[in-house]
Amino acid sequence: MNQRLQECLTGKQESFALPFLWLHGEPKERVREEILAIKNSGLTQFCAESRPYEKFCCDEWWDDFGFILQTARELDMRVWLLDDRHFPTSYANGYLEDESRAHLRKKLIRECQTEVVGPMKRAKVWVGGGLKRQEEKILQVIAYRHLPGGERLDADSAVDLTDRQKDGMVCWDVPDGVWRVCVLIETVREARKSDRASYFIDMLNPESCHAMIDAVYEPHYEHFKEYFGNTFVGFFSDEPGFRNCCGSYNTLGKMFEWYPWRADLPDLIAESAGVTEKEIHTALPALWEDLGEKNALVRTHYMEVITKLYRENFSYQIGDWCRAHGVLYIGHVIEDSGAHMRMGYGSGHFFRAMDGQDMAGMDIVLIQEIPGVLNEIHRAPIDGWLADPAFFHYTLPKLTASHAHIQPMKQGRAMCELFGAFGWAEGLPYMKAMADGLLVSGINYFVPHAFSPKEEDPDCPPHFYNGGKNIQYPLFKNLMGYMERCSHLLSGATHRADVAVFYNAESEWTGGKYASMDALCKLLTTNLIDFDIIPNDVLQNAVVKDSRLYVNNESYGALIVPESTILPTACLACFAKLAQNGLPVIFPDSYPLRAAEGTDSAVVSTVRQTCQTVSTDRLAAFLREQGLCRMRGEGKNLSYLRSLHMTRGTEEIYLFSNDAIRSEVDVWLTLPSEGEFLIYEPWDNRCYRGVTEEGRVHLHIDGGNMLFLLFGGEIPVQTPIFEVEQERLPLPLRFDISLRDESEDSFRLLAGNSELVDITSLDGYSRFSGEVRYEATLSIPDDYTVLDLGEVGEVAEVWLNGKYMGARINAPYRFDLSEERIAGDNRLEILVKGNLAHRRRDGLSRYLQIPPTGILGELALCRYAPLYKN
């Protein structure tokens, strides 16, 4: 039997979850209680976070964090630390507020414009009128002839007026026509104590980025070096970014935007683009203006330069410091609404921003995903108020898992911060559904958000313990055990993808028309075509052998490049080289039209000659026809089936998940594996036997559930055959129903010999938050051994004749009664814990439906039969 599976079955899985522990300065006794709540959830590590602890890195903090480390050591737990006093990372604990460090604050560049009409000799333009503060200075003044009929400026007409400034004025003999005078101004965000963003570090300045080390990392090492590398595991950066504007996801080509700046950027951009410094200096307004074909050159290489500086100055500088001090560096950036390839709150390039970290990272928060919503854009309290499952469900987890697969330093570790800021309406069923979608995408580390010692903390609920008042907390341990078993089984194995998808940040930067990766990722996923997303940096060093692309331990049968009209020459040349070496390189729908650096069509012609184009609606079928897909299937709800294929030695590991949370998947699959296999149900932690028939696997998964299939290992002879429901017998039971409110110590009878009812629909119980106990007797006919509770709000535990039958936190609420049933009457007790949003009607919960409370039925006894032949 698979060794890791055996470890799961015996409860010896490793630790893969490290929840946030929020700290505000609570008494040590209360903090210890919360740490014990984490420990009692079956978890052995956590990430401490100042939320905020205003005395962070002061004597009070050193005393409290020392207590936390000592407590963790006594409990054989491990501690991480979110690396700043305030969210997000980059404030450096206020290090740059000191005026002696003002030179480390970020520099920005903005533009203002004046329209002038010629001809006019010695016209005056008040370029100084664009200056707002004393510390601002004019960098360049460039005039362009305004082309008729829109915003386009004639890049070839550029006149550099920078040296003609005198007392804020430029004197110029304006030629005939309408001209735009573009004034580029170096600025900084106004330093205001009320605005922490004024003091965020500058990602373009290595000394500024080092402020994080000086202000946070080194002081913790000085105080707690004896814990480093043992009790203290590492640091977590939370959503650092360029933070160059007051808006959100900053894009190029927009009037009045402020962009990251340092004095030598024009020279670096010129070097990156392979053009003269003068050409960049006279075309730099293309960051805001429409300068035609100059737009793509300037914007692409501006982003190329600043994202590489971010990687070296911030990500690697901090990561290298951590590794030199025996700890790990993890975290994530803001990804949604295109932020992963933009500035503002974003970091410009998903992979470069986290290249220096020891895990790939992401988060799912703020209603960014609603289980079961797969095709509809829904409302969420994020930028733009919209969340698209094409990104959050199909693309983002694969971005993260891909980074873990292709960068050796990540060692396959892909992390997600999750569960936070969904409101109290997010109960355990919601959490499990979210976790399933991440696991089947390849995520194997989790940062649950959050444990807070501030009772009834209004900050981004739900909170898993809530001072003991979260009635679902006792079963949170079951969810954590489930997730860690799945992660344990997947970790250390090698991903087996079918194809690679190009990470098209450059398509965004060029300003040309392009198709996002999201629709492509969804198309591949729903057609059981597995993939990794790979950036240009990695492709440049990839190898093609036997018509497959090799990266790290991964290989891919084709590279798919999302439709883009303009791409950098380096990308196009790379695609052509890969294709010439035998790799199928596929452009859905159309080829690129030109290179970002100019109109030279040689590289585009080579791409057209060596690569292929296939219409999007034919792409999945084409990949199958070319033999590039390892898996195919047919049957009920096939499009809802998600898959992940891993290998470990001679063992083949398949994880299958059903995205349809209320419908079963029943399909026949053709896999690259045959013969007998083990089926592992991670929730029940049980194994079953299966066998292929004529090279196919019959797969049945209930709504919102997952199964592992494992080929190649020994199958114990006593392993039962996997069974599915064959018949059901309605069970019209009446119950004695008792309630225990979360504030009460004991149950009180609500009704005797009662039919089932939604408790929160009863008069006076609309805000009920507590447990519902159901008691009845029943006779169990032979062969009908499984009890199905039907619809339940929200989690259920069952006892039969006083023996515990287990817990379910999502449908189907089925319990195997075969081992404890007796002839005649059997005593049945069911305990249901409701959703806490009925009482805690927080603002976030308004975005989600709130389930009823209690059992609604229809109850049934089910007879099961083998799905596979003996």
Side-chain angles (χ1 to χ4, degrees), residues 327-384:
V327 295
L328 300 179
Y329 178 45
I330 65 173
H332 73 95
V333 297
I334 289 185
E335 313 95 355
D336 51 288
S337 300
H340 62 89
M341 57 176 67
R342 295 175 184 163
M343 295 171 289
Y345 291 161
S347 57
H349 191 287
F350 181 87
F351 293 92
R352 290 175 184 169
M354 293 185 291
D355 269 349
Q357 297 187 347
D358 294 290
M359 295 184 189
M362 60 172 283
D363 76 347
I364 291 287
V365 295
L366 290 166
I367 330 293
Q368 290 171 343
E369 181 163 4
I370 299 177
V373 180
L374 303 173
N375 301 301
E376 300 79 16
I377 296 175
H378 60 83
R379 294 291 188 266
I382 59 176
D383 181 69

Side-chain angles (χ1 to χ4, degrees), residues 537-609:
D537 296 347
V538 173
L539 287 174
Q540 293 290 334
N541 298 310
V543 173
V544 177
K545 182 180 178 182
D546 299 329
S547 299
R548 291 189 69 84
L549 178 73
Y550 284 83
V551 177
N552 198 16
N553 291 320
E554 301 281 333
S555 76
Y556 313 91
L559 174 66
I560 304 174
V561 184
E563 185 179 21
S564 308
T565 57
I566 310 172
L567 282 167
T569 299
C571 293
L572 295 170
C574 180
F575 301 151
K577 178 183 176 182
L578 294 173
Q580 287 167 341
N581 289 337
L583 178 72
V585 178
I586 302 168
F587 290 85
D589 297 324
S590 67
Y591 292 108
L593 299 179
R594 69 179 182 90
E597 291 75 12
T599 56
D600 181 5
S601 61
V603 68
V604 176
S605 296
T606 304
V607 165
R608 289 174 175 267
Q609 293 166 11

Side-chain angles (χ1 to χ4, degrees), residues 7-29:
E7 290 165 350
C8 290
L9 294 171
T10 55
K12 297 179 181 178
Q13 66 269 11
E14 297 171 10
S15 177
F16 295 90
L18 45 135
F20 283 139
L21 171 63
W22 285 354
L23 303 170
H24 317 81
E26 288 82 4
K28 290 183 174 65
E29 299 78 16

Side-chain angles (χ1 to χ4, degrees), residues 215-389:
V216 178
Y217 287 69
E218 283 285 1
H220 279 86
Y221 182 71
E222 291 169 5
H223 281 83
F224 305 115
K225 64 181 66 176
E226 71 273 19
Y227 292 99
F228 270 52
N230 46 80
T231 300
F232 184 72
V233 189
F235 291 91
F236 183 108
S237 280
D238 198 17
E239 298 186 358
F242 282 111
R243 304 277 170 174
N244 53 287
C245 63
C246 298
S248 53
Y249 309 135
N250 197 232
T251 58
L252 293 163
K254 294 178 67 176
M255 191 181 300
F256 305 128
E257 292 284 7
W258 296 18
Y259 300 128
W261 179 253
R262 67 183 231 185
D264 61 345
L265 273 188
D267 299 344
L268 296 175
I269 295 168
E271 182 182 353
S272 176
V275 299
T276 65
E277 295 171 12
K278 180 179 179 181
E279 186 173 349
I280 294 301
H281 276 279
T282 57
L284 200 58
L287 294 177
W288 300 267
E289 305 290 346
D290 183 357
L291 296 185
E293 292 179 352
K294 293 291 185 184
N295 294 347
L297 181 142
V298 173
R299 296 174 189 178
T300 298
H301 289 280
Y302 171 83
M303 292 297 295
E304 184 78 7
V305 168
I306 69 168
T307 54
K308 287 181 176 178
L309 288 171
Y310 185 118
R311 175 174 61 189
E312 299 306 316
N313 296 342
F314 182 75
S315 183
Y316 266 111
Q317 182 172 201
I318 293 179
D320 288 345
W321 183 96
C322 287
R323 287 180 285 277
H325 290 76
V327 295
L328 300 179
Y329 178 45
I330 65 173
H332 73 95
V333 297
I334 289 185
E335 313 95 355
D336 51 288
S337 300
H340 62 89
M341 57 176 67
R342 295 175 184 163
M343 295 171 289
Y345 291 161
S347 57
H349 191 287
F350 181 87
F351 293 92
R352 290 175 184 169
M354 293 185 291
D355 269 349
Q357 297 187 347
D358 294 290
M359 295 184 189
M362 60 172 283
D363 76 347
I364 291 287
V365 295
L366 290 166
I367 330 293
Q368 290 171 343
E369 181 163 4
I370 299 177
V373 180
L374 303 173
N375 301 301
E376 300 79 16
I377 296 175
H378 60 83
R379 294 291 188 266
I382 59 176
D383 181 69
W385 300 97
L386 299 173
D388 187 350

